[in-house]
Amino acid sequence: MSLTAEQDAAAISLVRGMSMDGPLAANSGHQGTGMALAPLAHTLYSRVMKHDPADPHWTDRDRFVLSGGHVSILQYSMLFLSGYGLELEDLKQFRQWDSLTPGHPEVGHTAGVEVTTGPLGQGFANAVGMAIAEANLRARFGADAVNHHTFVVAGDGCLMEGVSHEAASWAGHLGLGHLVCIFDDNKITIDGPTDLTVNEDTAARFRSYGWDVQEVGDISNDVDALEAVLNAAKDTAQPTLIMLRTHIGYPSPDHVDTNHAHGNPFTAEDVTRTKAVMGIPDEPFWAPPELVGAYRSHVGERGATSNTAWQAAAKAATESPEWRAAWTQGGLNGWNTDLPVYEQGDSVATRKAIQKALDATFALLPGLISGSADLKGSNGVALGGSTPFANGNEAGRYLHFGVREHAMGAAAVGMSAHGGVLPVTATFFVFADYMRPPIRLAALTGAKVCFVFTHDSVGVGEDGPTHQPVEQLASLRAIPGLHVIRPADANETIQAWADAVLHDGPTVIVLSRQNITVTTDGEAVCTGAAVVYPADTPHVVLAATGSEVALCTQAAQQLAATGIAAQVVSMPSWDRFDEQSDDFKAGVFPTGVPVLSVEAGVTFGWAKYADASIGIDRFGASAPGGLVLDKLGINIDNVVAQATALAN
């Protein structure tokens, strides 16, 4: 069944009403943009997008990203109308504890939400990642199995954020024709008119990136015109920016085109006056059952028809083991049975070992797609069995991200949220600071992304303190839900990669620039910590991560010559260790035995495990890496001296 013109108009009024009623009931929220974009959202959900409310995770659905997540009431209204499981009671609980309608959309919490948005610009860059995943899977599995679009709605705030520049430039370079961004050009910010802070030519900016830009003017209330523009955007070979002039707060008789309509909930009188203009009853959460029923039937029938046709056309691809492995972000049988093993005493930089791990598993991980921020020769995540992803070679599985760390992280989160790919990113560890927002969102949402960071400490050497990370490891360990691994050597690095593939969520792997002597069998990764140099009756425990494990092993040998028995513990992952039983922990850190931690970074956090710490609670210096480590106390003599003092 199709909706009549009267039902179109009533649905738009319903969404505008909800956009006012939700924030009014919560005394918190953003009604103005939801009111202005109600016709656009209605057009997308009822006419343009390919989606099936009965199957929210249908792999070939169009993706919808509300980059300005503060306008969540708009998306919730459409999910309610379309039949995704939200009901009136859920809308009435907008922004309340444990509701399905939180203040910003949360993936995995509310059916129909694709990514968690809120930090402006992140959703836009997530959408770029989604479009990359779609293009790659379409090229590899065929258009019968994968052929959909990503629609992202972004406002002026999203496009001001620096990450949007990085992501838009990259999307244009890659020619992501299945990406459509609608720019909500309402010319209003929280503080006032946008000309307080920006006067750039947005159309020229995006054209310079290689986007198809459509300046459609003020058609924000014309659903037929919106439908035509959106459908035309689906047929371009370039990503499309639709510049849509809107009027925040429309059709309020008092607050249209004012910053008051942005984030201050309308008063009850404001809502009453606006509903009078719209010609709908002055009652909260007005939703005529016959309208809602007709809308859900219409959207449901459209979705079921598309989904059924897809299932028949895609059957051969979707029944393949490669498809199933890709969409579970896992591997084919035996993917981890032939991993490289290094001999004790080998000297290998862990950034080199990660390359061996990726190459050994590439053929059996159909979803694996990796890339580096213009550091292919340094980071060790190149895929020897693949070619680069590029405009015209979308089947390639190595991504040249360029010097775009922020967009790299956010795009990877979008790739993971899209599904079908297992993204790996890489750059120098000090630049984790550029990527903190997407890493945080990956942890918040459980996105399965492997963030590889190399050049992990002051061992970087001559580049000096600007490139020598000391506080980054502690800062990432502080993020809830983030799995952080700093392997001791090549064997632990191999196991770290296997662990990242098995882990249901984001993983950070922190690797060395310099060669490290192999001293472990890699097993410490599975439990977060393990004894790698035992002592029958230890006087002191030396706990370390990364290159410092080998250092502690050497120190333990010197201590033994003085009659002090030192047990060395490799502790590559605090979060994994904290999951273990008390009995296991006691085996690693025997009760009553003092613990000295040794790590070439800030000592913050080690007090949880250690009685004393050797670390670097200052910035580094420019000099050869080994000399910097020595000058800052990361040396055998210092470990021996402090361990001796602690044991006596």
Side-chain angles (χ1 to χ4, degrees), residues 119-126 158 160-167 170 373 401-414 425-427 431-441 451 453:
L120 293 179
Q122 291 297 311
F124 178 87
N126 292 161
C158 291
M160 285 188 212
E161 290 285 0
V163 67
S164 77
H165 296 253
E166 295 181 23
W170 197 40
F401 285 100
V403 188
R404 300 184 179 101
E405 288 91 352
H406 195 170
M408 175 174 69
V413 172
T425 69
T427 188
F431 302 135
D433 293 337
Y434 285 163
M435 298 174 63
R436 191 172 182 85
I439 292 173
R440 182 178 187 273
L441 282 173
F451 300 100
F453 295 106

Side-chain angles (χ1 to χ4, degrees), residues 256-338:
V256 173
D257 290 335
T258 70
N259 60 317
H260 179 83
H262 190 287
N264 299 313
F266 283 7
T267 65
E269 182 180 354
D270 290 330
V271 174
T272 294
R273 285 168 54 78
T274 305
K275 288 183 176 180
V277 171
M278 292 194 297
I280 64 173
D282 184 16
E283 62 185 62
F285 300 97
W286 173 76
E290 63 279 8
L291 173 63
V292 175
Y295 206 98
R296 290 180 177 179
S297 294
H298 167 69
V299 173
E301 288 176 11
R302 285 183 75 250
T305 299
S306 296
N307 198 338
T308 300
W310 171 81
Q311 290 180 38
K315 191 171 189 296
T318 59
E319 290 182 351
S320 69
E322 289 77 14
W323 175 274
R324 289 193 292 269
W327 284 94
T328 58
Q329 294 181 304
L332 299 171
N333 289 337
W335 71 268
N336 58 350
T337 59
D338 193 26

Side-chain angles (χ1 to χ4, degrees), residues 430-515:
V430 75
F431 302 135
D433 293 337
Y434 285 163
M435 298 174 63
R436 191 172 182 85
I439 292 173
R440 182 178 187 273
L441 282 173
L444 179 65
T445 62
K448 190 168 181 175
V449 179
C450 182
F451 300 100
V452 172
F453 295 106
T454 68
H455 297 60
D456 63 348
S457 185
V458 298
V460 172
E462 291 86 351
D463 282 341
T466 62
H467 284 57
Q468 293 171 354
V470 291
E471 77 278 19
Q472 281 75 13
L473 189 55
S475 72
L476 292 182
R477 285 171 174 157
I479 298 178
L482 184 63
H483 184 32
V484 181
I485 310 172
R486 186 178 182 233
D489 58 16
N491 282 336
E492 283 193 1
T493 302
I494 301 299
Q495 292 303 316
W497 167 240
D499 189 66
V501 176
L502 293 171
H503 181 64
D504 186 20
T507 300
V508 166
I509 301 178
V510 182
L511 305 174
S512 72
R513 176 197 187 191
Q514 72 274 24
N515 288 349

Side-chain angles (χ1 to χ4, degrees), residues 458-462 514 623-632 634-635:
V458 298
V460 172
E462 291 86 351
Q514 72 274 24
L627 179 62
V628 178
L629 285 164
D630 182 58
K631 290 289 188 182
L632 296 181
I634 310 300
N635 58 55

